[in-house]
Amino acid sequence: MSTTAHRPTIISQSPQQPGDVIGTWADVGPDGLDEALRTARKAWHDWRSASAHERSRALVGAAARVDAAANELTSLVVREVGKPIVEATGEVARIADTLRYYAQVALDVDGDMYPASDPASWVFTRRRPRGVAAVITPWNFPLALPMWKIAPALAFGNAVVFKPSRNGLASAMRLVEVLDLGDILQVVCLGSEAEQLLPARDDVDIVSFTGSTEVGRAVVTAAATAGSVFQVEMGGHNAALVLVDADIDQAASSVARAAMAFAGQKCTATKRVIVVGDPSRFEDALVEHVRALALGDPSDTATVIGPVIDERAQRAVLDAAQQGVAEGGRLLTGGRKTEGDGWFAEPAVLAGLPAGATLLRRETFGPICAVVSARDDAEAVEIANETAYGMVAAIYSRDIGRVMSVAPQLDVGILRVNGPTTGIDFNVPFVGHKASGQGLGEQARAARDLFTTSVTYNISPSPVPEAQS
């Protein structure tokens, strides 16, 4: 007998109005997960046999349905995770574009021809879908992050069991309804044990996870033990290097948004700014640009910084600012709770922190960053690499020769020059280094390696029968 009725209830609330309950769902638990996996596996047997053109048309149709529901999806994202409406609008447009992109990727070359030792034979490879993919995503991009996993998985002929974050559950559930792709895409409402349940299953062939480093490491262990192929993208403690020849105002403006937009709740947000030489001019410019960013109601088109996701996140930002001061840093702006309801925190900038300070070592997922100084480019690189993470870095400079010297020394998976650490196109690989990522990468050609396996064919002509005497 199913125990679903007795499972805990998952509740999603609006961070700008915590009394606004967006929805409640029963945690389906292991029984519900069993059913979802069985359904996905059964559907996969037909989906993997569908032609590439059929899969492509299915994704094109899903993109059209997203377009038709764009306003509804945008409003839901704003309400559920507090994402400013301009960013939320862009996120919805991005998922439609992602679906169309992978609809074309489904029609791409799916193998290679090799010279055979026997001239009469053919040797070639074909890509084959792996099976059922477990997709586990966080709340901060409740539509885009699932889509850059789900779209390629389906395009290459796999089925998907999708476990969204409880804080973005309403958005994810509505997305699956809008996509209307049938049994090849299953969504499950699971509580905190999901990260242990899903990757450990031996009926899961691929695990694609984005989330915290602590949980990600547990996912790696479970997936490796179960024999699944895995891709894990975790946290980032990203640095922006402002070299001596940089345009200070342009760099400060870029860093302000990269650190604080959407309340700094991105794995690619700038958390450390390393200024070569005297940092005072940059500090003044950064504070000016941060204070100019509108903080408030995410449904207002002028808003750049909305709430953090919940009370615990708000407390983490405030505590990090206070701890930075206690450790010898200077609070240049922000670091306070705003008046009224909602989990708002004024964006904080600290400077003068000593080496080894907590804020320089540990990621705080919110609107806070630290400015440190370096004597020269070499020390800036050393400071940037003094972290367990290796997600993304930015370099601000007008000297291309200096950039080309510094860039190869930074131990990150993504490097931006004169642009923010945040943001990446959906048609390029996304791979974190060090503690920011393990296993295979995702997006573009990296997604093909994750969601397919290669089979080598060696075809020889049938022997010619001997002539009958």
Side-chain angles (χ1 to χ4, degrees):
M1 179 177 174
S2 173
T3 59
T4 299
H6 305 290
R7 300 288 299 177
T9 298
I10 300 173
I11 302 173
S12 178
Q13 297 171 278
S14 174
Q16 58 268 25
Q17 294 180 321
D20 177 16
V21 176
I22 299 165
T24 61
W25 299 266
D27 181 339
V28 300
D31 291 345
L33 180 57
D34 285 344
E35 182 179 353
L37 285 166
R38 282 195 300 269
T39 301
R41 180 69 63 180
K42 182 178 179 181
W44 175 63
H45 288 293
D46 290 332
W47 183 244
R48 68 175 176 177
S49 300
S51 71
H53 291 81
E54 290 176 286
R55 298 197 302 271
S56 178
R57 285 194 294 270
L59 296 188
V60 168
R65 291 187 287 275
V66 168
D67 286 337
N71 291 339
E72 176 196 358
L73 290 170
T74 298
S75 297
L76 190 53
V77 170
V78 172
R79 181 183 173 202
E80 186 171 37
V81 302
K83 179 165 289 191
I85 190 167
V86 173
E87 281 206 44
T89 300
E91 180 168 349
V92 174
R94 178 190 179 104
I95 67 171
D97 288 344
T98 301
L99 282 160
R100 292 188 179 95
Y101 169 74
Y102 283 107
Q104 295 307 303
V105 170
L107 304 177
D108 200 0
V109 175
D110 73 345
D112 297 291
M113 182 72 75
Y114 293 85
S117 57
D118 173 9
S121 298
W122 291 350
V123 176
F124 59 90
T125 60
R126 293 286 305 275
R127 308 298 300 193
R128 178 183 293 176
R130 294 184 185 272
V132 175
V135 166
I136 305 170
T137 59
W139 53 265
N140 56 335
F141 288 86
L143 305 181
L145 271 172
M147 192 50 59
W148 79 23
K149 300 172 185 291
I150 292 170
L154 298 180
F156 291 122
N158 302 278
V160 172
V161 174
F162 169 35
K163 187 273 170 187
S165 165
R166 61 194 306 144
N167 287 327
L169 194 50
S171 300
M173 297 290 283
R174 183 62 186 134
L175 173 64
V176 171
E177 290 174 353
V178 168
L179 294 174
D180 191 22
L181 288 166
D183 288 346
I184 55 169
L185 175 56
Q186 298 289 307
V187 60
V188 289
C189 302
L190 285 168
S192 58
E193 78 270 27
E195 283 76 9
Q196 286 72 46
L197 284 174
L198 254 176
R201 299 284 300 235
D202 58 10
D203 49 356
V204 167
D205 304 291
I206 314 149
V207 177
S208 183
F209 168 88
T210 298
S212 71
T213 301
E214 180 183 6
V215 176
R217 285 172 172 162
V219 168
V220 168
T221 299
T225 301
S228 300
V229 172
F230 61 87
Q231 169 274 318
V232 172
E233 187 262 295
M234 299 176 282
H237 199 38
N238 310 300
L241 285 67
V242 181
L243 306 187
V244 292
D245 63 301
D247 181 323
I248 294 297
D249 191 67
Q250 184 268 336
S253 175
S254 178
V255 167
R257 282 187 171 266
M260 308 303 180
F262 187 31
Q265 297 172 122
K266 302 174 184 179
C267 65
T268 54
T270 300
K271 298 299 178 184
R272 299 171 297 141
V273 190
I274 304 162
V275 181
V276 177
D278 182 359
S280 57
R281 280 185 59 224
F282 179 85
E283 290 171 3
D284 292 343
L286 180 60
V287 168
E288 180 181 351
H289 282 287
V290 167
R291 288 176 176 170
L293 299 175
L295 167 68
D297 180 359
S299 66
D300 187 334
T301 56
T303 296
V304 177
I305 306 170
V308 292
I309 192 63
D310 55 26
E311 185 177 16
R312 183 173 65 174
Q314 182 191 56
R315 176 47 53 193
V317 173
L318 304 182
D319 287 351
Q322 293 175 7
Q323 185 171 15
V325 173
E327 292 178 346
R330 293 176 287 117
L331 183 62
L332 303 182
T333 189
R336 293 182 296 270
K337 179 181 178 180
T338 63
E339 297 295 329
D341 294 334
W343 310 123
F344 292 89
E346 292 182 357
V349 178
L350 288 91
L353 288 162
T358 304
L359 194 60
L360 300 180
R361 294 184 292 104
R362 187 181 304 161
E363 178 189 24
T364 300
F365 208 62
I368 186 169
C369 71
V371 181
V372 298
S373 62
R375 293 185 302 270
D376 51 29
D377 293 354
E379 186 177 39
V381 169
E382 182 180 349
I383 295 170
N385 288 338
E386 282 180 347
T387 175
Y389 299 100
M391 180 67 70
V392 57
I395 302 172
Y396 293 91
S397 172
R398 288 177 283 198
D399 183 341
I400 189 62
R402 176 174 271 117
V403 168
M404 297 300 286
S405 174
V406 169
Q409 302 178 61
L410 295 170
D411 196 359
V412 293
I414 304 164
L415 186 61
R416 305 293 295 271
V417 177
N418 295 321
T421 55
T422 51
I424 184 170
D425 293 328
F426 53 78
N427 61 324
V428 298
F430 186 82
V431 182
H433 290 181
K434 299 160 67 174
S436 290
Q438 292 190 37
L440 297 173
E442 58 184 333
Q443 298 201 138
R445 291 294 178 89
R448 187 181 76 161
D449 292 337
L450 175 63
F451 291 113
T452 68
T453 186
S454 180
V455 178
T456 300
Y457 292 79
N458 192 319
I459 300 178
S460 299
S462 298
V464 178
E466 294 182 10
Q468 300 292 322
S469 56

